[in-house]
Amino acid sequence: MIEEIKEKALEEKVPIIKDGGLFFLLEFIKERNAKDILELGTAVGYSSINMALVNKDIHIDTIEKNEEMYKEALINIEKANLDEQINVHFCPIEEFKTDKKYDLIFVDAAKSQYYKYTEQFLDNLKEDGAFIYDNMIFHGLVYDVENIKNRNTRSLVKKIIKFSDLMRNDNRFDIIFHEDVGDGLLVAFRRKSERK
Ligand SMILES: C[S@@+](CC[C@H](N)C(=O)[O-])C[C@H]1O[C@@H](n2cnc3c(N)ncnc32)[C@H](O)[C@@H]1O
């Protein structure tokens, strides 16, 4: 079932998390016993279904603004019998508001908005919770930015690098950059002194 979703997504060029990144994410959830998860960027539900399968007590809120993706995610989640565990919100991330606190916020939507998302959802992170950001090396392009021919891609990659620098210098977080995992994952824990 999950393999079918993956194959179809790859065939249709839907951007889903890479195997290495997914493995890391699932291990992280197990090790930290994360139960409440917010995901920014559902696509067809591949990563949320994988996360929900870790443990029946896990609950995921996941946000998607593309109607086609949203509908396909609902079908996939229903087929996997995970409707009780995964709640897909059909709206732009920017408009999503909740008082809920999460153990993990997995950020996998518009790369240029990662810092904004961090500010938007910081209060929704439990005090020992973490953000995980995907695509931090963006297919390796962050290492060769000046040679990127396409202007839009170059501008996006520059924004990812800027985000990475902002996070390194943001004293609210302790960060670990796993550049060799999947498409590059950045993990940000709230600093102890910042915890409310
Ligand atoms: C990389 S895909 C998510 C992949 C998914 N997490 C997985 O690994 O299976 C990013 C998704 O975020 C959605 N997205 C991008 N910007 C968004 C926004 N501002 N609000 C809601 N969804 C957004 C896109 O439509 C796309 O489906």
Side-chain angles (χ1 to χ4, degrees):
M1 150 96 224
I2 197 79
E3 277 308 306
E4 273 171 39
I5 297 173
K6 179 181 171 184
E7 269 166 39
K8 184 164 185 274
L10 293 175
E11 235 173 68
E12 292 174 0
K13 303 218 180 323
V14 173
I16 54 169
I17 189 166
K18 286 192 167 183
D19 290 347
L22 181 63
F23 182 79
F24 178 95
L25 190 63
L26 302 184
E27 287 303 304
F28 187 92
I29 290 169
K30 286 178 208 162
E31 269 169 33
R32 298 185 64 86
N33 202 17
K35 291 284 188 310
D36 295 306
I37 299 172
L38 174 65
E39 177 182 62
L40 310 184
T42 317
V44 294
Y46 176 68
S47 50
S48 52
I49 289 173
N50 272 288
M51 291 191 281
L53 287 172
V54 168
N55 188 313
K56 283 199 165 48
D57 295 334
I58 288 173
H59 182 268
I60 301 169
D61 284 311
T62 179
I63 312 171
E64 177 56 58
K65 70 172 180 184
N66 177 304
E67 191 168 6
E68 230 176 285
M69 297 278 180
Y70 165 73
K71 285 183 174 161
E72 196 167 336
L74 287 187
I75 292 169
N76 289 335
I77 290 163
E78 201 184 336
K79 271 194 208 154
N81 272 321
L82 291 168
D83 343 31
E84 299 275 304
Q85 279 180 258
I86 306 174
N87 205 350
V88 190
H89 303 265
F90 175 45
C91 66
I93 291 161
E94 293 73 8
E95 289 174 15
F96 182 80
K97 284 196 177 64
T98 176
D99 291 333
K100 220 173 138 177
K101 302 268 185 190
Y102 298 93
D103 300 296
L104 170 65
I105 300 181
F106 175 50
V107 186
D108 194 18
K111 317 298 159 206
S112 57
Q113 304 301 311
Y114 276 11
Y115 204 67
K116 267 198 197 156
Y117 295 156
T118 307
E119 297 291 356
Q120 185 180 344
F121 293 106
L122 185 57
D123 284 345
N124 297 104
L125 195 64
K126 289 186 192 173
E127 62 173 31
D128 55 350
F131 285 99
I132 296 187
Y133 306 85
D134 195 13
N135 307 109
M136 293 302 301
I137 65 164
F138 209 66
H139 322 296
L141 293 177
V142 295
Y143 302 121
D144 198 17
V145 68
E146 293 314 325
N147 284 320
I148 301 170
K149 299 272 179 303
N150 182 291
R151 251 179 57 197
N152 291 341
T153 311
R154 193 167 58 238
S155 153
L156 177 60
V157 172
K158 281 186 174 169
K159 284 179 184 155
I160 295 172
I161 295 170
K162 190 171 170 205
F163 167 71
S164 191
D165 290 342
L166 280 171
M167 290 302 280
R168 273 175 228 273
N169 293 307
D170 191 324
N171 58 17
R172 295 172 299 176
F173 301 105
D174 286 316
I175 67 153
I176 307 176
F177 185 21
H178 297 275
E179 56 186 325
D180 52 346
V181 174
D183 195 28
L185 291 186
L186 191 137
V187 183
F189 299 94
R190 196 185 275 182
R191 280 222 171 122
K192 280 213 169 76
S193 54
E194 289 288 327
R195 292 179 185 174
K196 292 179 199 160

